[in-house]
Amino acid sequence: MDVYFQLVTDAEAVKAACERLSAEETLGFDTETTELDPHDGDLRLVQFSSGKGSVIFDMLPFREKGGVRENAELAPLRDLIASERHRKVVHNAKFDAKWVRHHLGCELGGVFDTYLASLLIAAGETERRHSLADVAQFFTGVELDKSEQVSDWASPELSQSQLEYAARDAAVLLPLHRQMADRLKADDLERVAELEFETVVPVAEMELNGFFLDEERWRERLTEVKAVAEKKAEELQDLLAAGVAQATLFGRTEINLDSHTQVMGALLNLGIPMPESTRAWQLQPLAGKYPPVAKLLEYREVQKAATSFGENILEFVRPDTGRVHADFRQIGAPTGRFSCSHPNLQQIPHETKYRRCFRASEGKKLVIADYSQIELRILADFSDDSAFIEAFVSGQDFHTMTAAQVFKVKPEEVTAEQRSFAKRLNFGIVYGVGASRFGLMTGLSQTDAENTMRKYFSTYRKLDEYLRTSAAKVTDERIARTASGRTLKLRFDAANRQEVGAARRYGVNMPIQGTSADILKRSLRLLHDDLRSTSGKLVNIVHDEVIVECDAQEADTIAATLESAMVRGGEEYVRKVPVKVDVNVSDEWTK
DNA sequence: GTGAAGGGCCAC
DNA sequence: AAACGTGGCCCTTCAC
């Protein structure tokens, strides 16, 4: 593929090129960088493509003339990048958005992300790949050679091959955009695509902002828990060795306590009637009778605290910012939920001793907001069940209200046990819980569990009907859809009862979980716009929770801003019940 | 040595 | 016996 390009290296050419590019409605956009993290390296090239060829802006000459970020000669380029009127077709725009934000100081406006579009179109089909080369191949048939991607972009003189690569990567985006835009329209994915595209910049900024982690607090907790883990390990070794102690004259037989195979063997040796696995919920009933089982559970708990939440997370604290800058994948799950890694800030234990380590930096506050029972509100909205809706509209405690309705007593007469049943059932139905599992988690017999569930569904007839018709529909059409139009293709063998059952649960759950993700994404965009002229910075999100860091004196106003953005985001998709958001201002990631 | 698979467990 | 949805991380085991 031959490609025409122009290389721009001085102020005059920047002005002229940007003027010409401004006439275009849609532009391909790409960058080449010397590292993967914008904190570590330099932005070398900024490329645009139009139907008339590619323009490559070399940042090196500008950096040599006193830096790139404040350079007035680059103003036309910054304006073009930030402009919402010009569509920028970008593959994985979060990457480029971070680099231009950090190095040029501007936002990337008008995003059309071919990576996210490809994920939406694939709708959960796992065998599809989503690199630019794969996506270009799939939608346009063009073969891309990515061998220069990892070449030396810091070199003073770039080779012809490097420049051609840079130009070609940008040029391929326009034909790709035409194909993908058609496909998004045909699949009725335009609304969710826009939602995703508008989420890119807020997420890019969140990653750049990072979340402050108090290393000293984390280390203190870790030192403590490591000592306990060592002690528990000793004690557990002693207890497990009892079964074979007579056979070993020369001290105790050590087993690997982290090996479930060895642990299972050792417990069997002691004559303990072991269940299928050594998972905590299966061992729990045996803990009262068998001290080694109880000790194993204690060991596992502290061992988890010392490893999964140990030294490793400290390696993600950047020395230059003092903060962790995790990777957020905005379509991390096929339901549309985010996933997070390096480190995963969505799985930090809820206990105060962990959460207090994530705190506001000096002079700042954290504003922490979360949706109150958003998934159940979505379910109420989808099902249109008047009693279920009423339980929310009443404004009283939801689980108490549902318990009152199900057990036919006054709300003030609901016992703690009744509320607990209702609560677990309320959560369980979102996942398609069955009577046996419900019985297992409540301690009810199979019959009592069935009776309680029958009572529940006869109280909420329309909810029951919704769940049934929804399950029938998704297995019939083999596709599930959220409120924004996000889709998930379901694959199952209709002759296999287990697969059909899984598909029904999955197909019922996906629109609920996915709509919750839609709502969070919408609120992130609204929030991003509302925080623009404030000290507020997005620092973390956990599915239904948003955390903003801001100047202490501005915290109360920003709390109101955040709550409003989240409520408005929710109200775009949920209308039949109120959307409730709880907000707290704190020094730490705790209430 | 490396990587995949599976067990186990943290979050929502 | 199991059949409650989504993710990532740590660890062991096992294959190459």
Side-chain angles (χ1 to χ4, degrees):
Chain A
M1 176 179 161
D2 277 339
V3 58
Y4 170 78
F5 70 86
Q6 180 203 353
L7 182 62
V8 172
T9 55
D10 63 59
E12 281 297 300
V14 166
K15 194 159 171 276
C18 288
E19 253 167 46
R20 270 186 289 114
L21 289 167
S22 295
E24 306 286 337
E25 201 175 303
T26 309
L27 295 162
F29 184 74
D30 192 19
T31 59
E32 302 304 333
T33 64
T34 61
E35 297 285 340
L36 291 174
D37 190 320
H39 290 104
D40 292 328
D42 290 317
L43 176 64
R44 178 59 192 268
L45 301 182
V46 174
Q47 308 107 270
F48 284 96
S49 68
S50 71
K52 302 172 186 86
S54 298
V55 182
I56 302 175
F57 297 84
D58 191 350
M59 295 295 107
L60 188 61
F62 297 94
R63 189 160 57 247
E64 284 167 349
K65 284 194 289 178
V68 161
R69 196 174 163 126
E70 311 298 334
N71 196 323
E73 294 178 349
L74 291 172
L77 181 61
R78 276 191 284 268
D79 290 346
L80 185 59
I81 291 170
S83 164
E84 298 278 349
R85 296 191 318 277
H86 301 89
R87 256 303 194 197
K88 313 309 181 315
V89 185
V90 202
H91 195 74
N92 189 18
K94 182 184 79 173
F95 179 89
D96 305 270
K98 285 168 76 174
W99 280 87
V100 299
R101 169 84 243 183
H102 194 68
H103 290 269
L104 289 173
C106 61
E107 268 186 30
L108 177 57
V111 168
F112 182 108
D113 191 326
T114 53
Y115 169 65
L116 295 174
S118 179
L119 283 167
L120 291 175
I121 292 164
E125 281 190 339
T126 47
E127 55 289 341
R128 285 268 296 279
R129 310 298 307 163
H130 304 283
S131 73
L132 178 58
D134 291 316
V135 174
Q137 219 290 317
F138 188 86
F139 287 95
T140 69
V142 171
E143 295 281 352
L144 275 185
D145 175 11
K146 300 293 289 187
S147 55
E148 293 282 1
Q149 186 171 32
V150 292
S151 67
D152 178 18
W153 293 105
S155 158
E157 286 295 322
L158 296 175
S159 69
Q160 184 67 17
S161 160
Q162 282 179 302
L163 293 173
E164 278 173 10
Y165 163 82
R168 204 174 47 232
D169 252 21
V172 74
L173 292 164
L174 285 183
L176 187 53
H177 169 254
R178 281 191 290 275
Q179 295 297 320
M180 297 191 96
D182 286 350
R183 183 61 192 271
L184 289 174
K185 194 180 178 74
D187 290 356
D188 203 11
L189 292 169
E190 285 177 310
R191 185 180 179 191
V192 65
E194 208 50 54
L195 173 69
E196 292 292 349
F197 298 162
E198 291 194 336
T199 306
V200 169
V201 167
V203 172
E205 299 233 338
M206 172 170 63
E207 290 190 359
L208 284 175
N209 292 337
F211 198 1
F212 185 77
L213 171 58
D214 189 322
E215 293 189 64
E216 206 176 308
R217 286 185 184 180
W218 189 265
R219 280 217 174 79
E220 274 171 27
R221 179 199 58 81
L222 191 53
T223 310
E224 224 169 274
V225 81
K226 271 181 169 172
V228 180
E230 237 168 82
K231 188 165 149 277
K232 297 284 179 194
E234 279 289 309
E235 293 167 357
L236 182 55
Q237 289 285 8
D238 282 340
L239 287 169
L240 293 180
V244 286
Q246 292 86 339
T248 56
L249 289 172
F250 304 100
R252 202 179 54 187
T253 324
E254 295 270 328
I255 71 157
N256 186 340
L257 299 176
D258 299 324
S259 160
H260 55 90
T261 322
Q262 292 181 38
V263 166
M264 173 68 95
L267 290 170
L268 284 170
N269 268 343
L270 293 171
I272 298 172
M274 291 296 288
E276 278 295 296
S277 77
T278 69
R279 267 174 284 186
W281 67 270
Q282 291 203 332
L283 291 181
Q284 207 63 61
L286 298 171
K289 197 170 171 196
Y290 303 101
V293 173
K295 192 62 74 184
L296 173 63
L297 293 175
E298 289 168 30
Y299 168 73
R300 286 254 180 91
E301 192 184 330
V302 287
Q303 183 63 8
K304 178 89 179 167
T307 56
S308 282
F309 306 102
E311 310 277 357
N312 36 45
I313 199 167
L314 296 173
E315 288 164 24
F316 294 108
V317 178
R318 285 194 64 91
D320 51 351
T321 65
R323 305 167 73 95
V324 289
H325 303 260
D327 298 332
F328 288 88
R329 286 181 54 198
Q330 114 175 34
I331 305 181
T335 56
R337 268 199 182 183
F338 279 90
S339 69
C340 180
S341 60
H342 305 106
N344 183 355
L345 294 177
Q346 300 188 143
Q347 61 166 176
I348 304 298
H350 202 271
E351 293 156 85
T352 304
K353 60 186 177 195
Y354 298 93
R355 296 271 170 114
R356 65 186 282 278
C357 302
F358 293 88
R359 63 168 179 85
S361 51
E362 304 308 324
K364 305 275 185 179
K365 289 277 184 190
L366 294 182
V367 182
I368 306 159
D370 67 313
Y371 284 106
S372 163
Q373 273 134 17
I374 192 65
E375 291 195 348
L376 288 168
R377 287 174 202 265
I378 292 164
L379 183 57
D381 188 271
F382 283 2
S383 68
D384 200 25
D385 186 295
S386 54
F388 208 62
I389 289 172
E390 180 49 36
F392 277 122
V393 173
S394 73
Q396 305 295 304
D397 177 78
F398 180 73
H399 301 306
T400 303
M401 291 305 287
T402 53
Q405 290 172 341
V406 170
F407 299 109
K408 299 190 170 37
V409 295
K410 289 182 186 144
E412 56 273 23
E413 289 167 357
V414 169
T415 66
E417 193 186 36
Q418 286 172 326
R419 185 182 179 279
S420 169
F421 283 149
K423 184 178 176 178
R424 291 189 225 205
L425 211 37
N426 285 333
F427 285 126
I429 51 164
V430 176
Y431 303 133
V433 74
S436 62
R437 189 78 172 85
F438 180 60
L440 216 56
M441 67 190 186
T442 52
L444 289 177
S445 69
Q446 175 83 17
T447 322
D448 287 348
E450 279 169 15
N451 285 336
T452 308
M453 287 185 73
R454 203 168 292 130
K455 255 188 214 169
Y456 186 92
F457 285 119
S458 64
T459 308
Y460 306 116
R461 285 279 164 77
K462 216 162 168 198
L463 172 62
D464 189 23
E465 189 193 316
Y466 166 78
L467 293 171
R468 288 173 195 280
T469 53
S470 167
K473 191 165 179 283
V474 293
T475 44
D476 177 45
E477 296 174 359
R478 291 180 176 252
I479 194 161
R481 209 174 256 276
T482 70
S484 75
R486 184 191 310 280
T487 53
L488 176 70
K489 291 178 190 161
L490 294 167
R491 297 175 84 171
F492 60 93
D493 173 4
N496 184 325
R497 283 175 57 105
Q498 274 172 16
E499 283 189 27
V500 173
R504 286 170 67 91
R505 287 191 301 278
Y506 196 14
V508 169
N509 175 260
M510 183 272 176
I512 302 166
Q513 193 183 107
T515 298
S516 167
D518 294 340
I519 287 172
L520 178 71
K521 287 172 180 179
R522 186 65 192 131
S523 72
L524 290 182
R525 166 41 72 171
L526 294 171
L527 176 69
H528 178 79
D529 294 338
D530 292 348
L531 287 182
R532 253 203 195 96
S533 53
T534 75
S535 65
K537 291 195 181 312
L538 179 63
V539 295
N540 194 19
I541 49 174
V542 193
H543 307 307
D544 64 354
E545 179 180 9
V546 177
I547 306 171
V548 170
E549 188 179 39
C550 67
D551 289 349
Q553 65 271 22
E554 211 180 3
D556 290 335
T557 10
I558 287 190
T561 306
L562 177 54
E563 181 179 8
S564 160
M566 288 175 73
V567 168
R568 278 179 287 139
E571 284 173 347
E572 288 188 23
Y573 296 101
V574 170
R575 296 163 198 279
K576 294 171 191 155
V577 291
V579 174
K580 189 166 170 277
V581 171
D582 298 318
V583 200
N584 284 287
V585 174
S586 175
D587 291 317
E588 302 156 354
W589 187 14
T590 54
K591 288 228 167 110

